[in-house]
Amino acid sequence: MAEQIGKQKMLLAGEWVEKSEEIEVRNPENNEIIGTVPAGSASDMKQAIELGREGAQTAADLSVRDRMDILTKAADYIEAHLDTFALTIAMEGSKTINEARSETTRAAETIRISAEEARRLTGESINFDQMPGNTDRMGYYFRFPVGIIAAITPFNDPLNLIAHKIGPGIAAGNAVIIKPATQTPLSAVKMAEAFMSAGLPPKVLSVITGRARDIGDVLIESPDVNMISFTGGMETGESIAKKAGLKRLSMELGSNSPVIVRADADLDAAAASCADGAFAAAGQNCLSVQRIYIEEEAYDSFRSRFLQETADVKTGSKLSEDTDVGPLINEKEAKRVERWIEEAVEAGGTIAAGGTRSGAYVDPTVLENVPDDALIVKEEVFGPAVLLFKVKHLDEAIKRSNDVNYGLQAGIFTTNINAALKASKKLHVGGVMINDSSDFRIDAMPFGGVKGSGLGREGVEYAIKEMSEERIVAFKWTDE
């Protein structure tokens, strides 16, 4: 496998760079080395930022048509090399080859949507004569780029989450510096290849591979960086916010997603959707279904259906077309999930399915009777484990759904429109999916959370607005 990807360079302000020190990239499935990337240093990051100041001006001067053409060509490149991109995602991360193909397709679509939204980055006229004494004034506002955007991305969606930062960033006319996850830097390098092939001018883009302890603070603390777009854990997000200083922040910090199943729901559809939402990408998805609250009269029926769906999930080699669930990102994370499951059982919970680990693999796990104060109930498990709870009615389900310090997305299954509307109003989250699991998302919708789940919204149209500023222009005229 190693020779399929091998030694890679990083992109420093449009130039491909090697370093004497390298970081090994390993396949979580067997811990084999599949490639290496440069271990970027603090001086590399400082250079990327310094040159990025010039790149930001270059990017701002690109016409809307130039931005659209570059983004479209980058999307074309990704689609033309879909198999290579998908293999890279599958080998360095946790996704199966089918999930990797889906992510590659989505990433291309995210970039293509960015091209379309670039033309819609418009302003509007302002009626200054609404205020007495200003009949001789008129004006408008327009949007302009923020400058340099630091994009810090996680391992679980190593291509599409980069697309959600670089696509809107370029569309809005910014320079972008990407710091990918150390576990999955190869997909970021592939994305850089797509943009360089598309004719992105020099200095507009850097992909600096390296360890967070070496390059992270240099990036987030620099006064020349105008915005940080971060996807990752809440603890890291809080640390970044404290260090960043006066700059824009957009943060998606994870979740602990609830789904409510009412007695009137289509239980077959609910069970199938929740199983897919809980175990896709080995549960390493910020939108993964983690807690399911089922009205007591439907509990046994839903439970039996859900356990059958869980039993049908196939765990195995990531590159097999038949595999549904691959390994976690490494054995350390698998051991953590195993420990959380064991702690839940020690607290009184029971295992209805799974609960075992082998290396970096954790079998799809279903837990019941877990106390509400258990760690696996309160925090984001980020693994293939889901909890079932029996509730008396919708109000109890909503209250318990809200009783965590996360609020990204939630789901509810019901045929009652009033119940659906009540849940959409009362659930304290950024998105409510009705008759869908919490993990539903399209790349054009506003995406983000409340409480510990983050700040701001992604989704191309909304990210472009986050990555641009408004400037008002006012004219005072005379009647000659």
Side-chain angles (χ1 to χ4, degrees):
M1 287 187 181
E3 59 272 16
Q4 293 186 27
I5 297 180
K7 181 176 181 176
Q8 300 294 307
K9 299 178 181 179
M10 68 181 183
L11 188 71
L12 201 167
E15 298 292 331
W16 293 105
V17 173
E18 294 180 331
K19 301 288 290 184
S20 57
E21 185 181 355
E22 296 179 330
I23 296 173
E24 297 174 346
V25 184
R26 294 178 179 270
N27 184 341
E29 188 168 278
N30 50 29
N31 208 35
E32 288 183 2
I33 299 172
I34 58 171
T36 62
V37 293
S41 65
S43 62
D44 294 323
M45 186 60 80
K46 289 177 182 177
Q47 186 179 2
I49 295 169
E50 183 179 348
L51 295 174
R53 294 172 60 184
E54 299 176 41
Q57 187 58 57
T58 299
D61 290 341
L62 289 173
S63 70
V64 171
R65 171 51 60 182
D66 287 340
R67 299 174 198 175
M68 292 173 62
D69 288 346
I70 290 167
L71 289 161
T72 299
K73 290 175 182 176
D76 290 343
Y77 183 96
I78 295 169
E79 290 174 341
H81 299 85
L82 188 147
D83 289 342
T84 302
F85 275 85
L87 182 63
T88 301
I89 293 169
M91 289 179 67
E92 70 173 343
S94 297
K95 290 191 171 181
T96 68
I97 190 62
N98 288 317
E99 291 172 330
R101 290 191 191 107
S102 176
E103 181 178 348
T104 303
T105 300
R106 283 185 62 185
E109 181 66 7
T110 299
I111 299 298
R112 206 174 293 286
I113 295 170
S114 300
E116 285 298 310
E117 290 297 336
R119 72 167 84 240
R120 301 188 181 98
L121 191 63
T122 58
E124 62 181 30
S125 61
I126 305 294
N127 296 319
F128 284 92
D129 60 359
Q130 64 185 280
M131 184 176 179
N134 287 281
T135 57
D136 59 347
R137 286 181 171 86
M138 60 182 293
Y140 62 94
Y141 77 83
F142 67 93
R143 304 193 74 91
F144 64 97
V146 299
I148 298 177
I149 295 172
I152 304 172
T153 58
F155 69 81
N156 58 316
D157 286 296
L159 190 70
N160 194 37
L161 287 180
I162 287 176
H164 269 283
K165 301 179 190 303
I166 189 174
I170 299 300
N174 298 287
V176 182
I177 299 174
I178 297 171
K179 162 60 180 80
T182 307
Q183 303 99 318
T184 55
L186 301 174
S187 296
V189 172
K190 295 297 295 180
M191 180 66 83
E193 289 177 6
F195 274 89
M196 298 314 293
S197 174
L200 186 69
K203 303 180 183 178
V204 174
L205 175 65
S206 290
V207 176
I208 306 299
T209 56
R211 301 176 182 88
R213 64 176 182 268
D214 297 327
I215 61 177
D217 285 354
V218 175
L219 179 62
I220 64 180
E221 294 177 0
S222 171
D224 292 320
V225 171
N226 307 99
M227 177 178 177
I228 298 173
S229 179
F230 170 74
T231 303
M234 185 173 67
E235 183 178 342
T236 304
E238 289 178 336
S239 175
I240 289 172
K242 290 174 182 177
K243 295 176 180 179
L246 194 60
K247 54 174 64 79
R248 287 199 168 200
L249 298 175
S250 176
M251 293 190 170
E252 195 276 283
L253 304 178
S255 190
N256 177 339
S257 296
V259 172
I260 297 169
V261 180
R262 296 193 74 235
D264 59 43
D266 180 335
L267 298 183
D268 288 324
S273 181
C274 286
D276 182 67
F279 303 128
Q284 296 170 122
N285 177 359
C286 59
L287 295 174
S288 287
V289 177
Q290 186 167 332
R291 296 170 292 141
I292 307 177
Y293 296 98
I294 310 111
E295 289 187 335
E296 55 188 13
E297 56 264 47
Y299 187 90
D300 291 340
S301 295
F302 175 84
R303 177 185 185 277
S304 63
R305 289 170 170 83
F306 187 74
L307 290 178
Q308 183 57 58
E309 293 286 346
T310 302
D312 291 341
V313 173
K314 295 180 180 178
T315 302
S317 172
K318 293 181 295 180
L319 298 185
S320 170
E321 299 288 344
D322 298 326
T323 296
D324 299 313
V325 175
L328 275 72
I329 192 62
N330 53 47
E331 189 171 0
K332 178 182 177 182
E333 281 299 296
K335 287 180 177 179
R336 177 191 58 78
V337 173
E338 179 185 41
R339 185 172 65 254
W340 285 23
I341 293 170
E342 291 171 348
E343 290 174 357
V345 173
E346 291 170 1
T350 55
I351 296 175
T356 58
R357 179 188 66 82
S358 177
Y361 283 87
V362 175
D363 286 339
T365 300
V366 181
L367 292 162
E368 298 177 284
N369 306 311
V370 180
D372 284 344
D373 60 355
L375 190 63
I376 201 169
V377 179
K378 292 295 188 183
E379 300 298 331
E380 181 179 34
V381 65
F382 223 60
V386 63
L387 302 102
L388 305 185
F389 299 97
K390 188 182 296 184
V391 294
K392 295 183 182 301
H393 44 64
L394 178 61
D395 287 342
E396 181 188 352
I398 292 172
K399 183 178 185 298
R400 294 176 69 179
S401 293
N402 288 337
D403 193 26
V404 296
N405 189 31
Y406 294 97
L408 188 50
Q409 288 193 175
I412 179 171
F413 288 86
T414 181
T415 56
N416 186 309
I417 185 66
N418 293 317
L421 289 171
K422 183 175 186 177
S424 67
K425 184 178 179 64
K426 297 294 186 180
L427 286 166
H428 196 195
V429 293
V432 178
M433 308 298 114
I434 298 168
N435 291 322
D436 237 323
S437 79
S438 60
D439 78 325
F440 176 77
R441 179 187 181 184
I442 65 169
D443 296 301
M445 77 187 205
F447 176 73
V450 298
K451 298 188 286 187
S453 285
L455 304 167
R457 293 294 181 268
E458 288 194 341
V460 177
E461 174 188 352
Y462 311 92
I464 288 176
K465 290 179 180 178
E466 298 264 2
M467 294 175 175
S468 60
E469 305 268 15
E470 294 173 350
R471 179 174 296 153
I472 184 72
V473 179
F475 290 88
K476 184 176 181 180
W477 54 280
T478 57
D479 189 7
E480 295 183 355

